[in-house]
Amino acid sequence: LAKTTQPISMDSYEGQEVNITCSHNNIATNDYITWYQQFPSQGPRFIIQGYKTKVTNEVASLFIPADRKSSTLSLPRVSLSDTAVYYCLVGDKFLFFGTGTRLTVIP
Amino acid sequence: EAGVVQSPRYKIIEKKQPVAFWCNPISGHNTLYWYRQNLGQGPELLIRYENEEAVDDSQLPKDRFSAERLKGVDSTLKIQPAELGDSAVYLCASRPGGTGNTIYFGEGSWLTVV
């Protein structure tokens, strides 16, 4: 079961790009990399998922190097409402949550 | 499309009392999960169902916790008797079959045991 390592917390000013990197050295061939966002009092919300290279959607981009042992979630021009906990997960049918990265966006 | 629905949203009970949580997954989703989340921590998997079969329940404290998923749709998670340490958020999630599909979470059921 591949576990992940990500920073416990990050601070950023509004309008800046935020990059959160996650390490997953034991990722398996069939594993996908998925990022979730969680606000207080809510369940985790899917942000983006990828298998390799780069994936972009309306919310974020996900960069995955060729060896897939890490990944970087990129949030462009963050706002105060992006303050949340961000989880990096590796797997397919089963997802193991770590403690996540608490992002605080400062005005 | 309706999301994962959970009830009750909040529950306060005295220790040693029973409590049950209900989950209605997204229509057509074969896989259903129950997670528990303690304050300041990530969700922890309790049990995973593939249709009506529990395929991973190694983290479910079986002395007091039980779960069922009748007809492979709705699911209930029960705690009897509850202990103070069971205070947490109980999250239900579902996922369609196949590989690489997203898991969708409900809003959670907040349990406080006093």
Side-chain angles (χ1 to χ4, degrees):
Chain A
L1 183 63
K3 293 192 178 181
T4 60
T5 302
Q6 53 184 122
I8 294 175
S9 64
M10 294 179 70
D11 293 338
S12 175
Y13 288 102
E14 268 192 299
Q16 291 190 329
E17 177 185 73
V18 170
N19 295 308
I20 306 175
T21 297
C22 178
S23 256
H24 27 81
N25 291 318
N26 296 321
I27 189 169
T29 304
N30 296 332
D31 288 342
Y32 284 77
I33 300 159
T34 311
W35 286 79
Y36 281 82
Q37 174 191 56
Q38 188 175 29
F39 298 113
S41 305
Q42 295 184 23
R45 183 175 74 101
F46 170 84
I47 300 176
I48 196 166
Q49 182 182 64
Y51 184 79
K52 61 180 179 179
T53 64
K54 176 184 174 181
V55 179
T56 298
N57 61 21
E58 65 278 5
V59 176
S61 294
L62 178 60
F63 299 92
I64 305 169
D67 65 5
R68 303 200 328 123
K69 293 184 183 297
S70 67
S71 60
T72 300
L73 174 72
S74 180
L75 304 171
R77 298 180 298 281
V78 294
S79 64
L80 296 177
S81 62
D82 292 317
T83 293
V85 178
Y86 292 81
Y87 294 97
C88 162
L89 301 103
V90 171
D92 186 14
K93 290 190 174 183
F94 171 70
L95 294 184
F96 175 83
F97 283 82
T99 54
T101 297
R102 185 172 299 276
L103 172 66
T104 302
V105 179
I106 305 165
Chain B
E1 178 183 278
V4 177
V5 179
Q6 293 187 244
S7 69
R9 188 82 168 91
Y10 302 96
K11 189 75 174 178
I12 300 174
I13 61 171
E14 294 183 345
K15 61 182 180 182
K16 301 184 181 179
Q17 294 301 305
V19 63
F21 305 111
W22 174 81
C23 173
N24 179 234
I26 294 174
S27 177
H29 283 196
N30 301 327
T31 307
L32 184 145
Y33 308 80
W34 282 102
Y35 280 84
R36 176 173 60 188
Q37 185 172 25
N38 292 307
L39 189 64
Q41 299 183 17
E44 169 197 20
L45 180 71
L46 292 176
I47 190 168
R48 173 169 66 99
Y49 283 93
E50 294 291 344
N51 298 303
E52 64 273 14
E53 182 182 358
V55 296
D56 185 354
D57 64 353
S58 57
Q59 300 301 313
L60 189 72
K62 297 182 181 62
D63 56 336
R64 299 182 299 106
F65 285 65
S66 64
E68 61 181 7
R69 190 184 185 196
L70 299 177
K71 300 181 181 179
V73 181
D74 294 1
S75 177
T76 56
L77 176 69
K78 298 178 181 178
I79 308 174
Q80 182 172 11
E83 298 179 351
L84 295 177
D86 296 331
S87 295
V89 180
Y90 291 85
L91 293 161
C92 180
S94 71
R95 175 183 180 275
T99 59
N101 287 315
T102 303
I103 296 178
Y104 296 89
F105 285 82
E107 293 300 303
S109 292
W110 292 65
L111 174 66
T112 301
V113 182
V114 297

